[in-house]
Amino acid sequence: MQNKSRNFRTVLAGYIRQQDQFGHPISLRYKNNSTFKTFFGGFITILFRMGIIVFLVFEIMKVVDKKSNITNSQYRRNLVEDRRQYQIDLTNFDLAYNVFSSDPIITANIDRYVSVQLQEVYFAWSKDGASYTMDVKDLPLDKCPPGRFLGETVQTDNFGLQFNYKCPTTLNTTLQGGFATKEARYIQVLVGGCNQSILNKTKPNLKCANDSDIIKALDVLELNLLTSNQFVDVNEREGNPVKTIIKNFYATKYISIIKSNFFRKHNLLLYKS
Ligand SMILES: *[C@@H]1O[C@H](CO)[C@@H](O)[C@H](O)[C@H]1NC(C)=O
Ligand SMILES: *[C@@H]1O[C@H](CO)[C@@H](O)[C@H](O)[C@H]1NC(C)=O
Ligand SMILES: *[C@@H]1O[C@H](CO)[C@@H](O)[C@H](O)[C@H]1NC(C)=O
Ligand SMILES: *[C@@H]1O[C@H](CO)[C@@H](O)[C@H](O)[C@H]1NC(C)=O
Ligand SMILES: *[C@@H]1O[C@H](CO)[C@@H](O)[C@H](O)[C@H]1NC(C)=O
């Protein structure tokens, strides 16, 4: 048990280092919750920052008419001073996740082994910095219906989005700040061993697997997180120069897989036209 969680931490540390290397705004946090450690041997928290850390904002400054040149400007904003809140909803952003395992029996019954929560978080330090408040709201999750990811079809079909992924059924929130700011708003993805009270909310008839089976399952768990991302195609003369693509983040504690590097730099695009 102790060995297992130490091992887990080592892998996570490697993962986080890799994030730094690629400037990737997603971080894994080992939640040092003794109850959870006892029961499940580990709990992964992925704080999904969506470009809050590496915050590259592209804006189309000027599209005089369709035939004129498109100017693509790029800003880096200091989030400590920039108090702005960025509104995101399903008309400009989307995300989905898939948890699976190399063991097909686990994959087929994944809800009995893993609980995943997507949460909107508002975080604020008190004036004296001695305490903080945190408001957390669960986003309802369901199988992804057609038409998600702003109607993108090629990549969503490749990923089998409608068959393999779960999406938040609604999304309308704001992003603000970062880890170093007094106030922050972000979305977090929590992945942990099956929690009966969470499972009861969606599948009340299903029972979590026993603890030893859950720990084994967490060891070979793989997570793929998709987010929509947009960029400006300056060579686009006919249609909309704002293109939507899907980025994926892959995470596992399965050591032989974590070595292959799936991680890509991720930017959040906000645009005006
Ligand atoms: C677009 O930019 C190119 C080079 O920057 C320039 O040669 C061309 O005249 C511009 N076109 C228009 C319509 O402004
Ligand atoms: C999101 O919520 C805001 C108010 O909080 C509302 O004005 C806006 O219309 C909502 N957007 C969508 C797409 O529902
Ligand atoms: C299971 O989830 C509930 C509600 O989210 C939480 O209060 C509880 O601490 C969780 N149980 C464990 C063992 O983490
Ligand atoms: C889950 O629901 C069952 C009945 O559907 C109930 O017996 C059990 O106490 C619930 N467990 C939790 C942790 O809420
Ligand atoms: C957990 O369940 C499996 C069957 O799924 C069983 O083989 C194993 O003995 C159980 N372990 C404990 C500790 O109950």
Side-chain angles (χ1 to χ4, degrees), residues 6-196:
R6 202 172 306 130
N7 198 2
F8 187 25
R9 242 172 304 193
T10 315
V11 175
L12 284 184
Y15 179 82
I16 290 164
R17 268 199 299 282
Q18 218 154 3
Q19 299 314 305
D20 283 349
Q21 197 176 335
F22 293 94
H24 189 305
I26 190 172
S27 60
L28 274 174
R29 189 151 58 91
Y30 181 82
K31 194 162 183 179
N32 215 0
N33 179 322
S34 55
T35 321
F36 228 105
K37 213 151 72 182
T38 315
F39 280 107
F40 305 127
F43 192 92
I44 311 171
T45 303
I46 298 173
L47 289 176
F48 174 53
R49 306 308 304 266
M50 293 182 303
I52 292 185
I53 296 168
V54 178
F55 207 94
L56 283 173
V57 180
F58 296 83
E59 280 183 88
I60 301 178
M61 291 303 287
K62 198 169 58 179
V63 181
V64 179
D65 67 56
K66 289 282 178 209
K67 292 217 168 52
S68 73
N69 286 337
I70 293 164
T71 311
N72 180 13
S73 310
Q74 192 171 321
Y75 295 91
R76 239 170 229 276
R77 291 195 170 123
N78 181 352
L79 289 167
V80 178
E81 288 161 11
D82 187 349
R83 310 286 301 273
R84 194 177 327 215
Q85 294 182 22
Y86 295 94
Q87 204 264 336
I88 53 166
D89 57 44
L90 294 179
T91 64
N92 57 19
F93 184 77
D94 209 344
L95 78 167
Y97 74 88
N98 181 20
V99 275
F100 55 101
S101 166
S102 51
D103 180 343
I105 296 167
I106 294 176
T107 303
N109 299 285
I110 198 77
D111 290 334
R112 297 192 58 227
Y113 298 94
V114 188
S115 285
V116 180
Q117 291 166 281
L118 252 61
Q119 300 177 324
E120 279 176 41
V121 184
Y122 169 71
F123 180 94
W125 287 104
S126 63
K127 275 216 165 64
D128 59 4
S131 61
Y132 61 83
T133 53
M134 197 166 163
D135 288 338
V136 177
K137 201 180 119 204
D138 273 307
L139 292 168
L141 300 167
D142 208 347
K143 283 204 126 179
C144 300
R148 292 294 291 246
F149 284 86
L150 286 63
E152 202 282 347
T153 52
V154 179
Q155 279 185 290
T156 49
D157 284 352
N158 286 348
F159 283 114
L161 191 82
Q162 289 177 54
F163 309 103
N164 305 325
Y165 282 81
K166 285 205 174 155
C167 289
T169 52
T170 58
L171 182 72
N172 185 359
T173 186
T174 50
L175 303 177
Q176 183 190 10
F179 278 121
T181 58
K182 262 202 130 103
E183 268 187 310
R185 291 166 207 272
Y186 53 90
I187 291 179
Q188 70 180 5
V189 184
L190 301 177
V191 183
C194 182
N195 177 329
Q196 190 67 51

Side-chain angles (χ1 to χ4, degrees), residues 195-198 200 204-205:
N195 177 329
Q196 190 67 51
S197 59
I198 295 170
N200 268 8
N205 299 323

Side-chain angles (χ1 to χ4, degrees), residues 25 28 86 92 157 160 201 206-207 242 262 271:
L28 274 174
Y86 295 94
N92 57 19
D157 284 352
K201 285 181 200 153
L206 214 56
K207 211 168 163 295
V242 179
F262 263 89
Y271 65 91

Side-chain angles (χ1 to χ4, degrees), residues 15 28 46 221-225 249-253 258 263:
Y15 179 82
L28 274 174
I46 298 173
L221 194 70
E222 296 169 56
L223 168 83
N224 208 18
L225 187 67
F249 307 107
Y250 172 82
T252 186
K253 61 174 280 204
I258 208 162
F263 308 111

